[in-house]
Amino acid sequence: MPSESKYPSIPIPDIDLWAFLFERKDKSFPDDKVIYFDPYTSRSYTYAQVKSTAIEFGKGLKALWDWKKGDVLALYTPNCIDTPAVTWGCHWAGGILSPANPGYTVDELAFQLKDSGAKALITQLPFVKAAKEAASKVGIPEDRVAVIGDHRDPEGRVKHFTSIRNISGATRYRRTKAKPDEDLAFLVYSSGTTGHPKGVMLTHKNIVANTMMIKAAEAGNLSWKGGPSGEGDKLLAFLPFFHIYGLTCLIHQSMYSGFQLVVMPKFDLDDFCRIIQEHKVTFAYVVPPVVLLLSKHPTVDKYDLSSIKMMNSGAAPLTHELVHALHNRLKIPIKQGYGLSETSPTTHTQPWSDWNKTIGSVGTMLPYQTAKYMSPEEKEVAPGEVGELWIKGPNVFKGYLNNPEGTANSLMPDGYFKTGDIGYQDKDGNFYITDRVKELIKYKGFQVPPAELEGKLAAHTKIADAAVIGVYDKEQATELPRAYIVPAAGIEANEATTAEITQWLNKQVANHKKLRGGIIFVDEIPKSVSGKILRRVLKEKAKRDEEAKAKL
């Protein structure tokens, strides 16, 4: 039987995001509560300021750009405290927001603009050149590219969003309401492992539901205490707002629950530690590469991080070794959650009190969902048996934009979403994610999960970071596990180090999991902005290396 949630089911209101956030009667914090704070400039937004700015921007969209229901506004920017007001201003005007990675090239951005059908583009001044080039490629007029942030064009060649807010005659416009379970709020783009990114269609109901589901798990409403509350709790935000993890867990959760969100444009270890120390940050959403740095990097010792009550890790598997390393060094407890762009994102999290009882688990399901693990033959497997996780609930996306085949392959007729993640659940309803379906290494019929080997390698004192992929060996007609390793500071990348690591790992793993594909030392492990290891980049490198070797 499919597993169901053990968390309390907080009612999900049948309203759009604007009404959910700004027309509520149950708000437990004052309108002048500072919600978004920039620690670099001390600029901030209160709840009331976000609302008023969003309304002004929404009216400006209608007056200046003739905004209609369903029009798409693209956002191409690092984290900025103006982002929430622009986001909900777009929704006020009936629009759909499509956030894009500011690291995109012109062509990558142009693909998203064209695929989403974006009508206008918001960026920041340092990104204007690329933004205008991409806009031009897809036919977006130059005067529909505007900027947010602290920097303005001194020559006035590009509008600042504040000028869109103050359009004369805009007061006559009224809010465009959305149908919660039909109308899209966001088009986020999921990178995938091959081909172009896919546009994930998320409705207003998806985000409203997931915000309430997160609140049920995180806000200390259960028998365990210590979860963040609106009273004095501060969340540190470096996770990108263009990624669903930051979009829902940071932007929406902070506004709904009244947390102060201390916003970083991107991750920097010194700034991360300094801001926690100076602003007494109490909670941080992180990713495994950051946990690795906090558990090993010498600069961390310069700071007092004792205000942190808990960290929550997501986006990639968090291993036993990393949990213990962080807690042993800093005494910071860390729990794990799980989700995907297609599930808005959070589906599971460990309860605060259970972080050290079920290490390695992503926790139990949030409310309003059912889930099951399925065999390759699409038969449900029993607890303890490994399969692919399928999930159903109000947070599951509407489908992939312009991609009926991709939608049909992942969304079942009965509403279940095939996550593509491998794992199992135990008898107590704790879920475990061991790897991606497409990333498992097949060695002579045995399955080797790369994340398991990476977790063990990360614990070695001579390793700063590691990634594992499968490389095909023609002679043996099978994949072999290979590790790419960043040596710790002062460690020689030589045969002696290779031998030491190989022998050390061999004593800890089953025979089929040994690194028969060897160890390659590298300067860094390629990762996405959300912390996922980009194994395809390493596989491309392995292929190039083999081709070069064959020419010798």
Side-chain angles (χ1 to χ4, degrees):
M1 289 290 292
S3 182
E4 297 186 349
S5 175
K6 297 179 180 178
Y7 285 101
S9 297
I10 299 177
I12 298 172
D14 187 27
I15 52 179
D16 65 17
L17 271 170
W18 182 271
F20 174 67
L21 294 171
F22 299 113
E23 295 176 359
R24 54 191 292 206
K25 301 291 190 288
D26 62 342
K27 186 164 63 66
S28 60
F29 54 92
D31 284 1
D32 63 357
K33 171 75 182 286
V34 171
I35 305 296
Y36 304 108
F37 178 77
D38 184 333
Y40 299 91
T41 65
S42 295
R43 193 160 68 91
S44 65
Y45 277 89
T46 64
Y47 173 88
Q49 287 170 335
V50 174
K51 181 179 181 179
S52 63
T53 303
I55 291 172
E56 290 171 7
F57 181 68
K59 288 180 177 179
L61 285 177
K62 290 192 171 194
L64 185 67
W65 290 340
D66 189 30
W67 212 254
K68 299 288 192 296
K69 186 174 182 179
D71 282 346
V72 175
L73 179 66
L75 203 58
Y76 177 61
T77 168
N79 289 359
C80 175
I81 62 169
D82 296 328
T83 296
V86 166
T87 297
W88 295 316
C90 174
H91 290 157
W92 185 93
I96 302 164
L97 195 88
S98 185
N101 185 340
Y104 273 174
T105 64
V106 169
D107 286 343
E108 287 171 330
L109 176 59
F111 170 81
Q112 182 167 331
L113 295 177
K114 183 178 181 180
D115 191 65
S116 66
K119 189 173 179 178
L121 175 61
I122 302 292
T123 185
Q124 288 196 53
L125 202 57
F127 301 85
V128 161
K129 184 175 182 292
K132 285 187 173 181
E133 284 184 33
S136 176
K137 277 178 174 279
V138 300
I140 296 175
E142 191 170 293
D143 64 358
R144 288 196 175 179
V145 177
V147 297
I148 56 175
D150 297 293
H151 302 291
R152 304 182 185 212
D153 184 357
E155 298 179 19
R157 292 167 299 185
V158 59
K159 294 184 189 73
H160 193 267
F161 92 109
T162 49
S163 67
I164 300 171
R165 286 168 44 200
N166 300 310
I167 303 296
S168 60
T171 53
R172 65 188 175 88
Y173 292 100
R174 297 291 177 263
R175 178 168 90 85
T176 300
K177 294 184 179 180
K179 295 178 180 177
D181 57 351
E182 291 183 25
D183 292 331
L184 302 187
F186 294 99
L187 268 172
V188 299
Y189 276 72
S190 177
S191 57
T193 53
T194 59
H196 284 299
K198 299 190 291 286
V200 178
M201 298 189 290
L202 297 171
T203 66
H204 285 257
K205 183 177 181 179
N206 290 154
I207 306 299
V208 169
N210 203 239
T211 303
M212 295 304 292
M213 289 157 58
I214 293 168
K215 184 173 178 64
E218 300 286 41
N221 293 328
L222 311 180
S223 58
W224 52 85
K225 299 299 179 184
S229 70
E231 302 171 12
D233 270 301
K234 295 181 181 180
L235 275 62
L236 187 54
F238 69 87
L239 294 171
F241 292 167
F242 63 82
H243 188 272
I244 191 64
Y245 189 3
L247 189 63
T248 304
C249 296
L250 297 177
I251 289 181
H252 285 84
Q253 186 189 185
S254 57
M255 178 56 87
Y256 187 78
S257 295
F259 306 145
Q260 184 178 124
L261 198 68
V262 183
V263 178
M264 298 174 65
K266 61 180 181 178
F267 181 77
D268 175 88
L269 182 60
D270 272 292
D271 283 358
F272 177 87
C273 295
R274 177 182 57 80
I275 290 167
I276 290 174
Q277 177 179 287
E278 291 180 1
H279 296 278
K280 299 293 185 280
V281 171
T282 58
F283 191 85
Y285 285 92
V286 295
V287 290
V290 170
V291 181
L292 183 67
L293 283 172
L294 292 172
S295 63
K296 289 198 169 191
H297 203 285
T299 197
V300 176
D301 291 329
K302 298 187 295 186
Y303 299 95
D304 177 6
L305 307 184
S306 61
S307 62
I308 291 285
K309 298 177 184 177
M310 174 75 76
M311 288 184 178
N312 185 93
S313 181
L318 183 70
T319 62
H320 289 75
E321 292 83 3
L322 280 181
V323 172
H324 288 304
L326 180 69
H327 194 256
N328 289 344
R329 185 183 191 188
L330 299 175
K331 303 304 178 225
I332 293 176
I334 182 164
K335 65 188 186 70
Q336 186 171 196
Y338 170 78
L340 308 99
S341 297
E342 292 87 348
T343 56
S344 304
T346 311
T347 63
H348 297 71
T349 192
Q350 285 179 286
W352 279 58
S353 61
D354 285 4
W355 73 271
N356 61 346
K357 300 173 185 174
T358 55
I359 294 175
S361 165
V362 296
T364 55
M365 272 196 306
L366 272 57
Y368 297 105
Q369 296 172 106
T370 55
K372 54 189 178 182
Y373 282 101
M374 305 291 281
S375 71
E377 296 74 35
E378 298 193 350
K379 303 291 184 185
E380 186 174 357
V381 300
E385 293 183 18
V386 173
E388 180 187 1
L389 178 61
W390 291 19
I391 295 175
K392 181 179 181 179
N395 52 312
V396 172
F397 75 136
K398 194 172 182 177
Y400 295 115
L401 182 70
N402 305 324
N403 191 344
E405 183 181 356
T407 300
N409 288 338
S410 61
L411 272 179
M412 299 296 96
D414 60 0
Y416 274 99
F417 168 58
K418 299 166 68 173
T419 67
D421 283 319
I422 295 291
Y424 63 94
Q425 62 174 313
D426 65 19
K427 59 181 177 56
D428 298 317
N430 297 298
F431 281 66
Y432 293 79
I433 302 297
T434 54
D435 241 304
R436 294 286 295 167
V437 171
K438 294 177 181 177
E439 292 180 352
L440 286 173
I441 300 166
K442 307 288 176 36
Y443 172 70
K444 294 185 176 179
F446 292 97
Q447 293 185 339
V448 181
E452 178 189 339
L453 297 181
E454 289 157 0
K456 293 185 181 301
L457 290 168
H460 196 287
T461 56
K462 293 188 176 180
I463 297 175
D465 201 358
V468 175
I469 64 168
V471 291
Y472 191 75
D473 184 274
K474 290 181 181 178
E475 293 181 8
Q476 299 184 60
T478 187
E479 285 187 309
L480 306 176
R482 173 184 291 175
Y484 287 82
I485 288 174
V486 179
I491 300 302
E492 293 279 338
N494 55 28
E495 290 183 8
T497 306
T498 298
E500 179 185 336
I501 293 170
T502 302
Q503 292 165 16
W504 171 83
L505 184 67
N506 284 350
K507 294 176 183 176
Q508 301 187 59
V509 298
N511 182 59
H512 66 279
K513 296 179 182 178
K514 292 179 179 179
L515 295 175
R516 289 179 169 83
I519 288 175
I520 306 291
F521 290 104
V522 292
D523 294 332
E524 64 177 350
I525 302 298
K527 292 175 183 173
S528 71
V529 290
S530 63
K532 289 187 173 73
I533 293 170
L534 298 175
R535 298 188 209 280
R536 58 178 171 77
V537 175
L538 291 174
K539 288 189 175 186
E540 288 164 5
K541 173 178 168 52
K543 185 179 178 181
R544 289 195 304 270
D545 291 348
E546 286 300 313
E547 289 172 350
K549 191 186 298 182
K551 291 177 182 178
L552 295 177

